Amino acid sequence: MQMDTNSSQIRLSAVGVVAISLFLTLFLRLWFLQGIDRKQFEAVSESNRLRVIHEEAPRGRILDRNGKVLVDNKTSVVVSLDREPLRKMEEEDRHELFVRIADTLNSLAVPVKVNLIEKRFNDTRYAPQDSVPIAENVDDTVEIYLTERADKFPGVIVDRKAIRTYPYGSTAVHLLGYVGQINDRELAARGGSDATADKDGSTTSSTTTTSTPGASPRLDYRPGDTIGKSGVEQANEDDLRGIPGQRTIEVNARGDLVDVVKVDPPKQGNDVWLTVDVDLQAHAERLLESKLFALRGGRDKQGNRLNVPQGSVVIEDPSNGQIRAMVSYPDYDPASLVNGISQDRWEAFNDPNSGLPLVNWAIGGTYAPGSTFKLFGAYAGLHNGFLTGANAVINDNGVYKIENCKGGKCTRQNAGRNRYGRVNLPRSLTVSSDVYYYRLADKLWNLRGQYGETPIQDAAVAFGLGAKTGIPLVGENVGRIPTPTARREAYEARPELFETGGWGSGDNINMSIGQGDVLVTPLQIVNAYSAFANGGTLYQPQVVTKVTRSEDPTADVTEDGNTELVRTVETKVRATVPFEGDHWGEIFQGLLGVTQVKGGTAYASWHETPTAWPMAGKTGTAQVKGKADTALFVAWGPAVPGIPPEYTIGVVIPEAGFGGTVSAPLAFRIMQPLSEGQLPPACPVADTTACDLAAMAAFEAAKADAARGSRD
Amino acid sequence: MSAFRSRDLSSPWRHVDYVLLGVTLLVATFGLVMVFGASRHFSAAGSFVGKQAVFMVLGLAIMVGLALIDYRRIADWWLAIYGGSLILLAGVLTPLGSLGDWGTKGWYVVGPVAFQPVEIAKLATVVAVAGYLGASRRVDLLRLGGALFLLALPMGLTLLQPDLGSSLVFILMGVGMLVVGGVSLRYLVILALVGFLGVFGILRSDTLDQYQKDRLTASFNPEGVSAKARYNVEQAQIAISSGGLTGYGFGKGPSTRLGYVPAQRTDFIFTVAGEEFGFLGAGSLLALYSVMTWRIWRVAQLARDKTGTLLSVGVMSMLLFHIFENVGMNLGIMPITGIPLPLVSQGGSSVVASCAALGLVQSVHMHRYA
């Protein structure tokens, strides 16, 4: 009995010890979890229930030099998917939901296909916690319909985002550029989130991710973000892009929004002010477009069809290199691209028959400059001292016989076989005597021991040809200034591609009148003439004057106190072209004569549409094998000694005819109201009636110009 | 048996274990608050708490009633009690029974009330084994066999539901009562060996469904278990751990509030305590359970006879296993089984059974001189 009790007591004590150790275990484990591992689990808890929603900021506006808004923002309603709750659904239920979403959207006149929704749902470019857009720019009625029935569409979010709007339609579209969704390459280049690296979101529990919303670095770009694809939108991306906002929301286990925890509102990007005057831009665009329409379908004297696939107008301020207008035709409507470019449209844009509207031909197109190149021969001959004494004046009987010519075609003629008689340097430019430049080029080549192999090319390069002007836009072409060395090197590299690696008088002669292999962009030739007009300063062309920040981005930028200057764009001088003696004056006299002296190649068209002050310049008609000529005209004004020039204009229209009859009249039509201070204001798209009337008037004027004839 | 206000020093009224009573009431109150906290975000919150309160009152009434009856009278009736509970337990396997949360056929549903007979059967088995072993001083092989049979029968019926967690309770109850009941050490060692081999064999065989094995092995083999089981374990630990020292505050725990923790009113209610009241709250609850366990152990020690000791040890083993398994599962150190936390988890049968068990213990304490 005693033994029994003792044994029973001992056993009971053993049970007590077991109980104590079990409770100790629980206490220890509880302390381990709550006291030691807390931080780690707390982070997991947060990543479980918090979603950080990336809110892209509206981009800054793009303004013209006077503060007129060329690119603005408007609110667009976007339908997107929060994929987190959808992943927890059964495959069939999810598919059924997608079908229901597509069906509903289609019945609300938003064309969305089920396989697009599936594709977006599985899109690995988005981080797993990011929502993916399935329809953009939808109606308010869609928003109301979906938000009222949110419980029927789990995971469907209706949100608002800012999209681009263009008050002046397609005006200046090449300069402004367009925006689109960032692609993988751009994302990588800008160090955006690599969504593919952390795509584990397919499991039902998101707790396996150890990253917390707060700890992940705040990345500027994410898939689906908007980025500038061309023009200033692309070049000034860093100014225009705003600071993205973040909305931290709390969701329950089903993924329903429970609470908004934190809001970092997005900050709109900075406003970019262009050097361009939208009134001048719209005016030039209207006239160029009308001109092209009027020309198209006609034939020149050789019977070549005037296809006029494209055209460019560049207007620059020669005193600082600022671009006042830059027109490239054909154009496109940037507003039609804000929701992305469809495959069909992309193909149409890249069809050569469309004239390649996405290309900014003013900086990307290269053309033989024709007689506008004579400026550089004239400069070279004066600068190296060849055009002095007997060499400065010739008797132009319309034909030039090449010296040391052995066999083949040893004579060259003036265009239209014109005879100009006694021709000095100014007159050679005024009447555009080819013979004068044939002789110059021939002699210089024969005297290359004395003057070097490339005095004319060197002059062209001094004026900035054969190199990018450095305009801060993507897509600038470098052009080409042929030299004996370059030709030999090209031949030696690929002998099978070239007839010869040699260079002779014929090549020098062709080059001297802007033919042969010479290629320039419209901007290059304008910038070169600007350098001459201002007395020899070669500027880097600019398209932006300043960047500002607006306190209230919806208010007028001209309002006092609303804008704060972020930075101004400095004028950049690339080089100086030296002029000795009266060399500048001689050339100036010749170029002024083009419009002011009877016999000048643009004399008739200037008098048809005279500007308030005289203009000096040069026509050019470049031959292109098998095609109609390229019509060029470059000029500046006021061309008055002692008065600083304000505008240099260049008009380049391929497959169009003579520079003097096609491009010069157009240039004066553009410049006349500008010089008189009576530029019609550009009309916003909201005011189409007035615009249509102005466009019709421009079209009639262009037709009248086209009908008239004149010499080159 | 005396009336109220007896001057008799041996009167049961003079020997109420007030500490045990107080701890019981505190835990019950804590439980009601927790059920409210866990269900306040559901539309039917009021009805959950209301029902729980009704069962709590009913349970306390039964506790008082059982405490007043001499436990020896109850033990005398062990065969009837045991037999009745077995009938109820077997009946649940017939078309009269219904499926519960975890896919076990262990419920009777009558209107709005669901009743889980295994909760009664556990207590009835404690009474039966205590009555059976308490009747003789020595435990020979025959009596041991009888006791094992008494344990095995309800356990087998429970396994058929299949409710693995509850059937484990029978084993642990049995271990406690057999050890304290005087079974010789030799037999105990043999039983332990047989038990281990049995568990191993069951895990290797197809007796258990995969999900049951998964749940049982979740805390030892987190990679190999189903996503759902892993999800439960993870969410519970996240909730408890992020509560920290003082918790998020009542009704503010994000994981429980937002519904990330499954079954948080019932099997995972400890997470609500952990997340919203932190170590202070959850630790206090554990401390209350420790005190409760100590007091029951003390009653077992003070009991006037073997039956009383065994009754108390049986109840203690039962509650201890419930507490350790349930809290351990919430803390991620025990496998997931559908075992409620005594007096805290929402569920009428569990509350009533726990109260009744504590009433029996009070009876042992109150009647030790009577």
PDB file of all heavy atoms in Angstrom, chain B residues 323-353:
ATOM      1  N   ILE B 323      -4.356  21.155 -25.861  1.00  0.00           N
ATOM      2  CA  ILE B 323      -3.647  22.444 -25.834  1.00  0.00           C
ATOM      3  C   ILE B 323      -2.345  22.360 -26.626  1.00  0.00           C
ATOM      4  O   ILE B 323      -2.065  23.184 -27.498  1.00  0.00           O
ATOM      5  CB  ILE B 323      -3.357  22.869 -24.371  1.00  0.00           C
ATOM      6  CG1 ILE B 323      -4.665  23.171 -23.649  1.00  0.00           C
ATOM      7  CG2 ILE B 323      -2.432  24.084 -24.332  1.00  0.00           C
ATOM      8  CD1 ILE B 323      -4.534  23.174 -22.132  1.00  0.00           C
ATOM      9  N   PHE B 324      -1.560  21.292 -26.322  1.00  0.00           N
ATOM     10  CA  PHE B 324      -0.251  21.212 -26.973  1.00  0.00           C
ATOM     11  C   PHE B 324      -0.385  21.007 -28.481  1.00  0.00           C
ATOM     12  O   PHE B 324       0.291  21.654 -29.274  1.00  0.00           O
ATOM     13  CB  PHE B 324       0.569  20.068 -26.364  1.00  0.00           C
ATOM     14  CG  PHE B 324       1.965  20.020 -26.899  1.00  0.00           C
ATOM     15  CD1 PHE B 324       2.897  20.959 -26.482  1.00  0.00           C
ATOM     16  CD2 PHE B 324       2.348  19.069 -27.833  1.00  0.00           C
ATOM     17  CE1 PHE B 324       4.187  20.939 -26.985  1.00  0.00           C
ATOM     18  CE2 PHE B 324       3.633  19.050 -28.344  1.00  0.00           C
ATOM     19  CZ  PHE B 324       4.563  19.988 -27.918  1.00  0.00           C
ATOM     20  N   GLU B 325      -1.291  20.155 -28.864  1.00  0.00           N
ATOM     21  CA  GLU B 325      -1.451  19.877 -30.291  1.00  0.00           C
ATOM     22  C   GLU B 325      -1.995  21.117 -31.018  1.00  0.00           C
ATOM     23  O   GLU B 325      -1.472  21.522 -32.053  1.00  0.00           O
ATOM     24  CB  GLU B 325      -2.381  18.676 -30.478  1.00  0.00           C
ATOM     25  CG  GLU B 325      -3.023  18.533 -31.849  1.00  0.00           C
ATOM     26  CD  GLU B 325      -2.039  18.524 -33.007  1.00  0.00           C
ATOM     27  OE1 GLU B 325      -0.912  18.049 -32.823  1.00  0.00           O
ATOM     28  OE2 GLU B 325      -2.390  19.022 -34.099  1.00  0.00           O
ATOM     29  N   ASN B 326      -3.017  21.730 -30.429  1.00  0.00           N
ATOM     30  CA  ASN B 326      -3.624  22.864 -31.125  1.00  0.00           C
ATOM     31  C   ASN B 326      -2.678  24.061 -31.196  1.00  0.00           C
ATOM     32  O   ASN B 326      -2.436  24.619 -32.263  1.00  0.00           O
ATOM     33  CB  ASN B 326      -4.929  23.263 -30.427  1.00  0.00           C
ATOM     34  CG  ASN B 326      -5.629  24.404 -31.155  1.00  0.00           C
ATOM     35  OD1 ASN B 326      -5.196  25.545 -31.045  1.00  0.00           O
ATOM     36  ND2 ASN B 326      -6.651  24.093 -31.921  1.00  0.00           N
ATOM     37  N   VAL B 327      -2.107  24.437 -30.048  1.00  0.00           N
ATOM     38  CA  VAL B 327      -1.193  25.583 -30.048  1.00  0.00           C
ATOM     39  C   VAL B 327       0.058  25.257 -30.855  1.00  0.00           C
ATOM     40  O   VAL B 327       0.554  26.077 -31.638  1.00  0.00           O
ATOM     41  CB  VAL B 327      -0.837  26.004 -28.602  1.00  0.00           C
ATOM     42  CG1 VAL B 327       0.206  27.115 -28.612  1.00  0.00           C
ATOM     43  CG2 VAL B 327      -2.080  26.459 -27.859  1.00  0.00           C
ATOM     44  N   GLY B 328       0.546  24.013 -30.682  1.00  0.00           N
ATOM     45  CA  GLY B 328       1.729  23.603 -31.440  1.00  0.00           C
ATOM     46  C   GLY B 328       1.506  23.663 -32.934  1.00  0.00           C
ATOM     47  O   GLY B 328       2.371  24.096 -33.706  1.00  0.00           O
ATOM     48  N   MET B 329       0.314  23.289 -33.372  1.00  0.00           N
ATOM     49  CA  MET B 329      -0.025  23.364 -34.791  1.00  0.00           C
ATOM     50  C   MET B 329      -0.054  24.823 -35.260  1.00  0.00           C
ATOM     51  O   MET B 329       0.445  25.169 -36.325  1.00  0.00           O
ATOM     52  CB  MET B 329      -1.384  22.692 -34.978  1.00  0.00           C
ATOM     53  CG  MET B 329      -2.214  23.127 -36.142  1.00  0.00           C
ATOM     54  SD  MET B 329      -3.765  22.201 -36.145  1.00  0.00           S
ATOM     55  CE  MET B 329      -4.896  23.400 -35.512  1.00  0.00           C
ATOM     56  N   ASN B 330      -0.608  25.689 -34.406  1.00  0.00           N
ATOM     57  CA  ASN B 330      -0.624  27.119 -34.735  1.00  0.00           C
ATOM     58  C   ASN B 330       0.786  27.694 -34.801  1.00  0.00           C
ATOM     59  O   ASN B 330       1.058  28.598 -35.576  1.00  0.00           O
ATOM     60  CB  ASN B 330      -1.429  27.897 -33.685  1.00  0.00           C
ATOM     61  CG  ASN B 330      -2.907  27.891 -33.978  1.00  0.00           C
ATOM     62  OD1 ASN B 330      -3.414  28.765 -34.671  1.00  0.00           O
ATOM     63  ND2 ASN B 330      -3.598  26.888 -33.482  1.00  0.00           N
ATOM     64  N   LEU B 331       1.667  27.146 -33.971  1.00  0.00           N
ATOM     65  CA  LEU B 331       3.040  27.667 -33.945  1.00  0.00           C
ATOM     66  C   LEU B 331       3.936  26.949 -34.946  1.00  0.00           C
ATOM     67  O   LEU B 331       5.109  27.260 -35.059  1.00  0.00           O
ATOM     68  CB  LEU B 331       3.634  27.501 -32.537  1.00  0.00           C
ATOM     69  CG  LEU B 331       2.955  28.308 -31.426  1.00  0.00           C
ATOM     70  CD1 LEU B 331       3.576  27.968 -30.079  1.00  0.00           C
ATOM     71  CD2 LEU B 331       3.060  29.797 -31.688  1.00  0.00           C
ATOM     72  N   GLY B 332       3.364  25.959 -35.635  1.00  0.00           N
ATOM     73  CA  GLY B 332       4.125  25.286 -36.686  1.00  0.00           C
ATOM     74  C   GLY B 332       5.045  24.185 -36.204  1.00  0.00           C
ATOM     75  O   GLY B 332       5.947  23.793 -36.924  1.00  0.00           O
ATOM     76  N   ILE B 333       4.832  23.707 -34.974  1.00  0.00           N
ATOM     77  CA  ILE B 333       5.698  22.619 -34.513  1.00  0.00           C
ATOM     78  C   ILE B 333       4.940  21.303 -34.383  1.00  0.00           C
ATOM     79  O   ILE B 333       5.520  20.289 -34.033  1.00  0.00           O
ATOM     80  CB  ILE B 333       6.388  22.949 -33.162  1.00  0.00           C
ATOM     81  CG1 ILE B 333       5.346  23.323 -32.116  1.00  0.00           C
ATOM     82  CG2 ILE B 333       7.419  24.049 -33.336  1.00  0.00           C
ATOM     83  CD1 ILE B 333       5.923  23.452 -30.715  1.00  0.00           C
ATOM     84  N   MET B 334       3.640  21.339 -34.652  1.00  0.00           N
ATOM     85  CA  MET B 334       2.867  20.102 -34.613  1.00  0.00           C
ATOM     86  C   MET B 334       2.070  19.988 -35.909  1.00  0.00           C
ATOM     87  O   MET B 334       1.741  20.990 -36.535  1.00  0.00           O
ATOM     88  CB  MET B 334       1.901  20.121 -33.402  1.00  0.00           C
ATOM     89  CG  MET B 334       2.593  19.933 -32.045  1.00  0.00           C
ATOM     90  SD  MET B 334       3.411  18.330 -31.883  1.00  0.00           S
ATOM     91  CE  MET B 334       2.007  17.281 -31.521  1.00  0.00           C
ATOM     92  N   PRO B 335       1.785  18.759 -36.288  1.00  0.00           N
ATOM     93  CA  PRO B 335       1.019  18.590 -37.525  1.00  0.00           C
ATOM     94  C   PRO B 335      -0.400  19.146 -37.391  1.00  0.00           C
ATOM     95  O   PRO B 335      -0.901  19.329 -36.286  1.00  0.00           O
ATOM     96  CB  PRO B 335       0.995  17.074 -37.717  1.00  0.00           C
ATOM     97  CG  PRO B 335       1.370  16.480 -36.424  1.00  0.00           C
ATOM     98  CD  PRO B 335       2.163  17.483 -35.672  1.00  0.00           C
ATOM     99  N   ILE B 336      -1.006  19.390 -38.553  1.00  0.00           N
ATOM    100  CA  ILE B 336      -2.347  19.957 -38.545  1.00  0.00           C
ATOM    101  C   ILE B 336      -3.374  18.854 -38.338  1.00  0.00           C
ATOM    102  O   ILE B 336      -3.452  17.905 -39.108  1.00  0.00           O
ATOM    103  CB  ILE B 336      -2.636  20.672 -39.879  1.00  0.00           C
ATOM    104  CG1 ILE B 336      -1.646  21.814 -40.060  1.00  0.00           C
ATOM    105  CG2 ILE B 336      -4.056  21.194 -39.902  1.00  0.00           C
ATOM    106  CD1 ILE B 336      -1.834  22.549 -41.361  1.00  0.00           C
ATOM    107  N   THR B 337      -4.144  18.976 -37.252  1.00  0.00           N
ATOM    108  CA  THR B 337      -5.272  18.078 -37.022  1.00  0.00           C
ATOM    109  C   THR B 337      -6.417  18.939 -36.526  1.00  0.00           C
ATOM    110  O   THR B 337      -6.207  20.023 -36.010  1.00  0.00           O
ATOM    111  CB  THR B 337      -4.951  17.026 -35.941  1.00  0.00           C
ATOM    112  OG1 THR B 337      -4.546  17.718 -34.767  1.00  0.00           O
ATOM    113  CG2 THR B 337      -3.856  16.083 -36.379  1.00  0.00           C
ATOM    114  N   GLY B 338      -7.626  18.445 -36.706  1.00  0.00           N
ATOM    115  CA  GLY B 338      -8.789  19.258 -36.342  1.00  0.00           C
ATOM    116  C   GLY B 338      -9.132  19.180 -34.875  1.00  0.00           C
ATOM    117  O   GLY B 338     -10.225  18.781 -34.507  1.00  0.00           O
ATOM    118  N   ILE B 339      -8.157  19.540 -34.027  1.00  0.00           N
ATOM    119  CA  ILE B 339      -8.410  19.471 -32.582  1.00  0.00           C
ATOM    120  C   ILE B 339      -8.617  20.870 -32.031  1.00  0.00           C
ATOM    121  O   ILE B 339      -7.782  21.751 -32.231  1.00  0.00           O
ATOM    122  CB  ILE B 339      -7.220  18.789 -31.870  1.00  0.00           C
ATOM    123  CG1 ILE B 339      -7.252  17.305 -32.208  1.00  0.00           C
ATOM    124  CG2 ILE B 339      -7.298  18.996 -30.372  1.00  0.00           C
ATOM    125  CD1 ILE B 339      -6.276  16.502 -31.436  1.00  0.00           C
ATOM    126  N   PRO B 340      -9.757  21.094 -31.350  1.00  0.00           N
ATOM    127  CA  PRO B 340     -10.043  22.449 -30.871  1.00  0.00           C
ATOM    128  C   PRO B 340      -9.217  22.826 -29.641  1.00  0.00           C
ATOM    129  O   PRO B 340      -8.724  21.945 -28.917  1.00  0.00           O
ATOM    130  CB  PRO B 340     -11.526  22.397 -30.531  1.00  0.00           C
ATOM    131  CG  PRO B 340     -11.814  20.970 -30.249  1.00  0.00           C
ATOM    132  CD  PRO B 340     -10.850  20.156 -31.052  1.00  0.00           C
ATOM    133  N   LEU B 341      -9.098  24.126 -29.443  1.00  0.00           N
ATOM    134  CA  LEU B 341      -8.426  24.636 -28.246  1.00  0.00           C
ATOM    135  C   LEU B 341      -9.492  24.715 -27.151  1.00  0.00           C
ATOM    136  O   LEU B 341     -10.485  25.420 -27.300  1.00  0.00           O
ATOM    137  CB  LEU B 341      -7.842  26.013 -28.549  1.00  0.00           C
ATOM    138  CG  LEU B 341      -6.903  26.630 -27.507  1.00  0.00           C
ATOM    139  CD1 LEU B 341      -5.719  25.715 -27.231  1.00  0.00           C
ATOM    140  CD2 LEU B 341      -6.416  27.980 -27.976  1.00  0.00           C
ATOM    141  N   PRO B 342      -9.288  23.999 -26.031  1.00  0.00           N
ATOM    142  CA  PRO B 342     -10.349  23.893 -25.020  1.00  0.00           C
ATOM    143  C   PRO B 342     -10.832  25.263 -24.549  1.00  0.00           C
ATOM    144  O   PRO B 342     -10.027  26.133 -24.240  1.00  0.00           O
ATOM    145  CB  PRO B 342      -9.685  23.135 -23.869  1.00  0.00           C
ATOM    146  CG  PRO B 342      -8.575  22.388 -24.506  1.00  0.00           C
ATOM    147  CD  PRO B 342      -8.113  23.221 -25.660  1.00  0.00           C
ATOM    148  N   LEU B 343     -12.157  25.417 -24.517  1.00  0.00           N
ATOM    149  CA  LEU B 343     -12.845  26.610 -24.014  1.00  0.00           C
ATOM    150  C   LEU B 343     -12.635  27.849 -24.883  1.00  0.00           C
ATOM    151  O   LEU B 343     -13.212  28.896 -24.626  1.00  0.00           O
ATOM    152  CB  LEU B 343     -12.419  26.955 -22.579  1.00  0.00           C
ATOM    153  CG  LEU B 343     -12.753  25.915 -21.506  1.00  0.00           C
ATOM    154  CD1 LEU B 343     -12.102  26.305 -20.182  1.00  0.00           C
ATOM    155  CD2 LEU B 343     -14.256  25.791 -21.347  1.00  0.00           C
ATOM    156  N   VAL B 344     -11.803  27.787 -25.899  1.00  0.00           N
ATOM    157  CA  VAL B 344     -11.524  28.973 -26.700  1.00  0.00           C
ATOM    158  C   VAL B 344     -12.032  28.805 -28.135  1.00  0.00           C
ATOM    159  O   VAL B 344     -12.736  29.662 -28.648  1.00  0.00           O
ATOM    160  CB  VAL B 344     -10.017  29.316 -26.699  1.00  0.00           C
ATOM    161  CG1 VAL B 344      -9.718  30.460 -27.651  1.00  0.00           C
ATOM    162  CG2 VAL B 344      -9.568  29.673 -25.291  1.00  0.00           C
ATOM    163  N   SER B 345     -11.694  27.694 -28.770  1.00  0.00           N
ATOM    164  CA  SER B 345     -12.167  27.464 -30.131  1.00  0.00           C
ATOM    165  C   SER B 345     -13.682  27.504 -30.166  1.00  0.00           C
ATOM    166  O   SER B 345     -14.348  26.990 -29.263  1.00  0.00           O
ATOM    167  CB  SER B 345     -11.712  26.086 -30.619  1.00  0.00           C
ATOM    168  OG  SER B 345     -10.376  26.131 -30.996  1.00  0.00           O
ATOM    169  N   GLN B 346     -14.213  28.114 -31.234  1.00  0.00           N
ATOM    170  CA  GLN B 346     -15.655  28.123 -31.374  1.00  0.00           C
ATOM    171  C   GLN B 346     -16.152  26.716 -31.647  1.00  0.00           C
ATOM    172  O   GLN B 346     -15.575  25.993 -32.454  1.00  0.00           O
ATOM    173  CB  GLN B 346     -16.051  29.060 -32.515  1.00  0.00           C
ATOM    174  CG  GLN B 346     -17.527  29.339 -32.554  1.00  0.00           C
ATOM    175  CD  GLN B 346     -18.084  29.247 -33.943  1.00  0.00           C
ATOM    176  OE1 GLN B 346     -17.354  29.373 -34.910  1.00  0.00           O
ATOM    177  NE2 GLN B 346     -19.370  29.017 -34.035  1.00  0.00           N
ATOM    178  N   GLY B 347     -17.194  26.311 -31.000  1.00  0.00           N
ATOM    179  CA  GLY B 347     -17.733  24.968 -31.189  1.00  0.00           C
ATOM    180  C   GLY B 347     -18.396  24.485 -29.911  1.00  0.00           C
ATOM    181  O   GLY B 347     -17.736  24.361 -28.871  1.00  0.00           O
ATOM    182  N   GLY B 348     -19.689  24.241 -29.994  1.00  0.00           N
ATOM    183  CA  GLY B 348     -20.477  23.913 -28.806  1.00  0.00           C
ATOM    184  C   GLY B 348     -20.049  22.627 -28.123  1.00  0.00           C
ATOM    185  O   GLY B 348     -19.855  22.596 -26.904  1.00  0.00           O
ATOM    186  N   SER B 349     -19.868  21.566 -28.877  1.00  0.00           N
ATOM    187  CA  SER B 349     -19.547  20.268 -28.269  1.00  0.00           C
ATOM    188  C   SER B 349     -18.269  20.352 -27.472  1.00  0.00           C
ATOM    189  O   SER B 349     -18.171  19.830 -26.357  1.00  0.00           O
ATOM    190  CB  SER B 349     -19.379  19.210 -29.366  1.00  0.00           C
ATOM    191  OG  SER B 349     -20.427  19.279 -30.284  1.00  0.00           O
ATOM    192  N   SER B 350     -17.274  21.009 -28.044  1.00  0.00           N
ATOM    193  CA  SER B 350     -15.984  21.117 -27.387  1.00  0.00           C
ATOM    194  C   SER B 350     -16.108  21.894 -26.086  1.00  0.00           C
ATOM    195  O   SER B 350     -15.565  21.482 -25.049  1.00  0.00           O
ATOM    196  CB  SER B 350     -14.986  21.789 -28.328  1.00  0.00           C
ATOM    197  OG  SER B 350     -13.859  22.229 -27.615  1.00  0.00           O
ATOM    198  N   VAL B 351     -16.817  23.011 -26.132  1.00  0.00           N
ATOM    199  CA  VAL B 351     -16.962  23.848 -24.946  1.00  0.00           C
ATOM    200  C   VAL B 351     -17.687  23.067 -23.840  1.00  0.00           C
ATOM    201  O   VAL B 351     -17.236  23.020 -22.683  1.00  0.00           O
ATOM    202  CB  VAL B 351     -17.728  25.147 -25.292  1.00  0.00           C
ATOM    203  CG1 VAL B 351     -18.257  25.818 -24.037  1.00  0.00           C
ATOM    204  CG2 VAL B 351     -16.832  26.082 -26.061  1.00  0.00           C
ATOM    205  N   VAL B 352     -18.796  22.451 -24.209  1.00  0.00           N
ATOM    206  CA  VAL B 352     -19.585  21.718 -23.214  1.00  0.00           C
ATOM    207  C   VAL B 352     -18.753  20.570 -22.630  1.00  0.00           C
ATOM    208  O   VAL B 352     -18.720  20.357 -21.414  1.00  0.00           O
ATOM    209  CB  VAL B 352     -20.889  21.199 -23.860  1.00  0.00           C
ATOM    210  CG1 VAL B 352     -21.599  20.235 -22.910  1.00  0.00           C
ATOM    211  CG2 VAL B 352     -21.795  22.367 -24.201  1.00  0.00           C
ATOM    212  N   ALA B 353     -18.027  19.850 -23.509  1.00  0.00           N
ATOM    213  CA  ALA B 353     -17.237  18.722 -23.034  1.00  0.00           C
ATOM    214  C   ALA B 353     -16.106  19.180 -22.115  1.00  0.00           C
ATOM    215  O   ALA B 353     -15.822  18.547 -21.080  1.00  0.00           O
ATOM    216  CB  ALA B 353     -16.662  17.949 -24.226  1.00  0.00           C
TER     217      ALA B 353
END
